[in-house]
Amino acid sequence: MSTLLAIAITTGILSGIWGWVAMSLGLLTWAGFLGCTSYFASPAEGAKGLFQSLITNLVGVMWAMVIIETSSLMSFDIWGYIVTALVAFAMCIQAKQQWLAFIPGTFIGSCATFASDGLWQLVIPSLLVGGVFGYLMKATGMWLHRKSNQPEVNERREITTRS
């Protein structure tokens, strides 16, 4: 079985489970898929990739709230655009820090917050649990790929005796 097919199988199964978990816990299904997508897009693999995608998603939520709250301080439309420009600059320049180097993760967290109309209390757990699901999708897919491509072990062993 190819790696792609194995990951597709586990992603399909876990996507269905994620939908049920999200609805059961009152989370935003779509935001969880953004967290999952963030993990898959992360340039790092494994736990490091999960950590980096989750951290940048959370920092993106923070930046979005900075834009939302600061923009509301003045009634001039131009003020919101200036704040957005300054924060977008900060969202990129923060990538000088290695653990914040995944710029798309920051923008994903920010966009999820804007899409939820600033409901960061709901966005954060949705992104976090979704990111973990993304990690599990890939990890179980890789496990399935390895298992499906292992040579068959001969269960029958011949016993030889010395005379």
Side-chain angles (χ1 to χ4, degrees):
M1 173 182 314
S2 73
T3 303
L4 178 61
L5 178 58
I7 291 173
I9 290 169
T10 59
T11 296
I13 292 167
L14 288 173
S15 289
I17 294 171
W18 161 247
W20 175 77
V21 167
M23 295 306 285
S24 298
L25 297 177
L27 299 175
L28 300 169
T29 307
W30 59 266
F33 277 116
L34 288 175
C36 173
T37 301
S38 184
Y39 171 72
F40 271 97
S42 173
E45 292 287 325
K48 181 179 179 183
L50 177 60
F51 176 77
Q52 190 174 42
S53 66
L54 293 178
I55 289 297
T56 55
N57 287 171
L58 295 178
V59 170
V61 170
M62 183 227 27
W63 283 125
M65 292 311 299
V66 166
I67 292 171
I68 291 167
E69 294 300 322
T70 307
S71 294
S72 69
L73 294 176
M74 294 189 188
S75 61
F76 306 113
D77 285 342
I78 191 78
W79 174 244
Y81 304 138
I82 292 168
V83 170
T84 300
L86 294 172
V87 170
F89 171 81
M91 289 168 64
C92 292
I93 203 70
Q94 75 182 13
K96 285 182 150 189
Q97 300 298 317
Q98 184 179 8
W99 54 282
L100 295 174
F102 181 46
I103 296 170
T106 304
F107 278 88
I108 287 171
S110 182
C111 289
T113 307
F114 289 128
S116 73
D117 206 22
L119 294 175
W120 63 269
Q121 303 91 333
L122 197 51
V123 170
I124 288 175
S126 300
L127 286 170
L128 293 175
V129 178
V132 170
F133 264 83
Y135 173 84
L136 292 173
M137 289 169 184
K138 187 164 186 183
T140 57
M142 296 306 292
W143 172 84
L144 180 60
H145 170 71
R146 284 190 304 276
K147 282 298 205 184
S148 70
N149 291 316
Q150 285 182 350
E152 289 188 28
V153 177
N154 186 353
E155 294 294 326
R156 205 176 118 206
R157 295 193 172 117
E158 294 181 16
I159 301 174
T160 58
T161 56
R162 290 186 181 176
S163 333

